[in-house]
Amino acid sequence: VQVLLKLWRNGFSLDDGELRSYSDPTNAQFLESVKRGEIPLELQRLVHGGHVNLDMEDHQEQEYVKPRLRFKAFSGEGQKLGSLTPEIVSTPSSPEEEEKSILNAPVLIDDSMPATKIQIRLADGSRLIQRFNQTHRIKHIRDFIIQSRPAFATTDFVLVTTFPNKELTDENLTLQEADILNTVILQQLK
């Protein structure tokens, strides 16, 4: 381990750390060990019996000035959490596109009944947003996907909720019974 000890007029610092006063008894022991040519106990604990290179710089004619922290970019790696759902690469649609998809929708809405908006993230990365009545069934979402994207008519797929992921297997449930009002549904290919 490489350690840099800087001696200042008003104390000392280690590796651009905080100023440590000469008058503190713990710090005095540290400096006594250095003067005797020994590695201070604090540094021995730091390296767990390994080697320590202690460099010293004399700045005793200067007052300690706290160094500015240097920016260090994150050098680790990220981990993706959750299921293997498709990564969405499309940009969010504008309100106009959202309205257009609702207006062109093949779903009949009864305005006298409570309604909900469902966002469907398709396996191809695109998304659909549609209003449904709360009494519509999950099979209506499937039909809406096929009518909006005829290419999926011959493709076997399932509908899944977002976190926690739950496959919507009973397509006769209403949206309210399935507890998916105002949510995002994922389309996953089988």
Side-chain angles (χ1 to χ4, degrees), residues 33-154:
S33 297
V34 171
K35 286 178 188 173
R36 289 192 306 265
E38 300 171 357
I39 299 296
L41 191 58
E42 177 184 331
L43 296 180
Q44 289 176 12
R45 282 191 217 121
L46 175 73
V47 297
H48 307 293
H51 292 285
V52 176
N53 291 325
L54 183 64
D55 291 333
M56 292 178 54
E57 288 182 4
D58 185 8
H59 298 278
Q60 290 183 347
E61 69 284 348
Q62 303 169 12
E63 289 287 321
Y64 170 80
V65 178
K66 187 173 182 174
R68 290 194 304 175
L69 295 175
R70 287 179 288 219
F71 174 75
K72 183 179 178 188
F74 176 70
S75 60
E77 61 181 53
Q79 298 294 324
K80 194 173 206 175
L81 300 176
S83 68
L84 300 174
T85 57
E87 193 167 316
I88 306 304
V89 291
S90 63
T91 58
S93 65
S94 66
E96 296 81 26
E97 289 174 357
E98 188 176 312
E99 273 307 307
K100 188 173 74 178
S101 74
I102 290 171
L103 292 174
N104 294 338
V107 177
L108 297 175
I109 306 293
D110 183 352
D111 288 325
S112 66
M113 307 268 301
T116 184
K117 243 187 215 181
I118 303 285
Q119 182 184 131
I120 305 150
R121 293 187 183 164
L122 301 175
D124 65 4
S126 63
R127 70 178 184 165
L128 299 169
I129 299 171
Q130 177 59 44
R131 276 185 64 222
F132 292 91
N133 287 117
Q134 294 180 7
T135 55
H136 276 105
R137 303 194 179 278
I138 294 172
K139 65 182 173 187
H140 293 120
I141 296 176
R142 176 179 289 279
D143 295 341
F144 169 70
I145 292 171
I146 292 169
Q147 289 174 346
S148 300
R149 299 286 197 285
F152 288 121
T154 58

Side-chain angles (χ1 to χ4, degrees), residues 146-182:
I146 292 169
Q147 289 174 346
S148 300
R149 299 286 197 285
F152 288 121
T154 58
T155 307
D156 197 17
F157 65 88
V158 293
L159 300 175
V160 180
T161 62
T162 54
F163 187 81
N165 292 87
K166 181 179 79 174
E167 190 174 323
L168 300 170
T169 53
D170 186 355
E171 294 193 353
N172 289 319
L173 287 177
T174 66
L175 304 184
Q176 188 168 19
E177 291 168 342
D179 196 24
I180 57 170
L181 303 178
N182 296 312

